[in-house]
Amino acid sequence: MHVTLHITTGCNLNCRYCYSPPTSRNDMSQQTAFQAIDFISENYPVNTGIIFFGGEPLLKKDLIRETIAYSHTKLRIRN
Ligand code: SF4
């Protein structure tokens, strides 16, 4: 199973074929991302992948790093 986190609608490109042109930017908060990890940890703790999606998700690379670190903490707590 995979869970996709849409962490931003923002993008630094302007592709003609864009499915979701970034006219405005909405970013996922750290609180929401961590709540998603809590939900995954409680409900799907085994063999679940997390996909970071946008927009351009690397605009939020700090949030990606923080969320991965938090998910490692949750796994350590469970084991
Ligand atoms: S979100 Fe994707 S398709 Fe849209 S402009 Fe950015 S890179 Fe291009």
Side-chain angles (χ1 to χ4, degrees):
M1 174 175 182
H2 289 89
V3 174
T4 301
L5 301 181
H6 292 249
I7 59 174
T8 182
T9 60
C11 184
N12 55 345
L13 297 177
N14 189 23
C15 304
R16 278 183 283 151
Y17 54 81
C18 185
Y19 56 89
S20 179
T23 54
S24 63
R25 181 170 171 172
N26 292 304
D27 292 345
M28 180 179 284
S29 68
Q30 185 195 65
Q31 179 184 15
T32 299
F34 283 17
Q35 286 174 335
I37 298 301
D38 291 343
F39 180 83
I40 294 165
S41 176
E42 291 299 320
N43 295 284
Y44 307 100
V46 179
N47 293 333
T48 302
I50 300 168
I51 298 170
F52 295 99
F53 197 68
E56 173 47 67
L58 289 178
L59 292 177
K60 298 290 293 177
K61 61 186 174 205
D62 288 346
L63 179 63
I64 292 172
R65 286 191 187 109
E66 293 161 2
T67 304
I68 291 171
Y70 183 68
S71 70
H72 288 171
T73 302
K74 296 293 285 190
L75 287 172
R76 275 196 289 274
I77 289 170
R78 293 190 67 85
N79 293 329

